[in-house]
Structure formats: C-alpha cells, structure tokens
C-alpha cells in the first residue's frame, strides 16, 4: 500500500512513498559480501544509512552490481556492558546503486532483504526470550 512521502510535491506533482515498512535512520557498521559473475567473493565494509525489516541502505565506496545477491552483517551497539553484542544478518539482492555525487555525498547501495536473522556474535540465532535478555532487547524490566 502506498503512503505519502514526507515531501508533499515536486513541481506540483504529489509523491507517493512505495516502501511498506518504516525506515530507521541508523548509522551502524556493516560488513557485506557478494560473488561476482565468475564466482570471486568480494568483501567490504560500510555504514548503514537506514534500515528496516525489508531492506538496508549501505554507504560504502565499494558497491556490488545491481541484481547481485548480497550478505550483510550489521553490528548492533552493545546496550550495556553486561549485555552480549549482537548483529543483524541479512541476505538480499541489490536493487539500486547511488554513485558519489560529491565528497560530502557518499556512494551506496540499497538491498531488498529476503532473509533477516538477529544473532549473537558467535552466529547463533537469537530465538528465545532468554537470548533477547542477554543482549538487552527484552521488553520486560528486571526489578
């Protein structure tokens, strides 16, 4: 379902937001990898510009080609010293590349996710309430 974009119009034309999920403007470290057309594995690092359950926008000097399958690991901030670090592991496809228009505007790419897993730094999926508590993302308060 389309929503109105935050910019109501450009030259009198109303814009529609096509994304179905809220984007969160988070600047987090992300490592990503993809294989090129001959099977060579490329690995690089960047920062997220925004993220949601359906996609991630990555700012990086190195970008995979449009249509590439890409794996991304977004390092989440450690919420407290006593909590374990965690990451979002996403697998998706590159749907857009933006070249750097100037030194102040970084190059990047948008990836549409088909798999998203919250996992600990050992690579184990966080799938129960106790695991969520260990990284500090539980809804309940321990008092």
């Amino acid at each position: 379902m389309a929503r109105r974009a935050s910019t109501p119009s450009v030259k009198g034309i109303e814009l529609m937001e096509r994304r179905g999920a809220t984007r969160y403007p988070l600047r987090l470290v992300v490592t990503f990898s993809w294989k090129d057309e001959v099977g060579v594995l490329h690995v690089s690092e960047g920062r997220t510009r925004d993220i949601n359950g359906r996609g991630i926008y990555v700012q990086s000097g190195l970008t995979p080609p449009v249509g590439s399958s890409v794996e991304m690991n977004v390092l989440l901030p450690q919420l407290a010293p006593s909590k374990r670090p965690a990451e979002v592991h996403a697998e998706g496809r590159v749907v857009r590349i933006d070249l750097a228009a100037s030194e102040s505007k970084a190059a990047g790419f948008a990836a549409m996710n088909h798999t998203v897993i919250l996992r600990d730094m050992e690579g184990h999926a966080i799938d129960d309430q106790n695991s969520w508590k260990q990284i500090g993302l539980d809804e309940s308060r321990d008092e």
Side-chain angles (χ1 to χ4, degrees):
M1 181 156 143
R3 298 184 316 215
R4 285 187 187 200
S6 58
T7 306
S9 67
V10 174
K11 296 184 180 181
I13 300 170
E14 224 174 86
L15 299 177
M16 299 299 285
E17 176 65 68
R18 294 183 296 177
R19 291 171 187 86
T22 302
R23 291 182 290 167
Y24 297 96
L26 297 171
R27 308 295 186 260
L28 301 172
V29 173
V30 57
T31 57
F32 59 95
S33 62
W34 77 97
K35 288 184 180 176
D36 64 21
E37 63 279 349
V38 294
V40 175
L41 181 66
H42 299 269
V43 179
S44 191
E45 188 174 282
R47 288 206 169 267
T48 60
R49 183 184 75 189
D50 53 62
I51 186 170
N52 67 31
R54 294 183 180 174
I56 300 174
Y57 188 93
V58 177
Q59 292 178 317
S60 176
L62 185 62
T63 58
V66 170
S68 299
S69 293
V70 62
E71 287 192 31
M72 299 162 284
N73 294 311
V74 180
L75 181 61
L76 298 175
Q78 192 168 350
L79 299 176
S82 63
K83 304 300 180 187
R84 293 188 347 213
E87 68 181 5
V88 172
H89 174 77
E91 297 176 11
R93 185 160 307 280
V94 176
V95 295
R96 187 180 82 242
I97 294 173
D98 296 324
L99 302 176
S102 66
E103 287 184 28
S104 63
K105 185 175 179 185
F109 66 93
M112 183 178 292
N113 302 335
H114 56 75
T115 303
V116 179
I117 302 168
L118 182 63
R119 63 187 191 184
D120 63 22
M121 295 309 290
E122 288 81 41
H124 302 109
I126 297 171
D127 58 1
D128 62 30
Q129 189 62 34
N130 188 46
S131 296
W132 286 87
K133 284 181 182 178
Q134 291 175 21
I135 64 166
L137 294 176
D138 63 319
E139 295 288 325
S140 63
R141 300 270 185 218
D142 293 32
E143 299 186 66

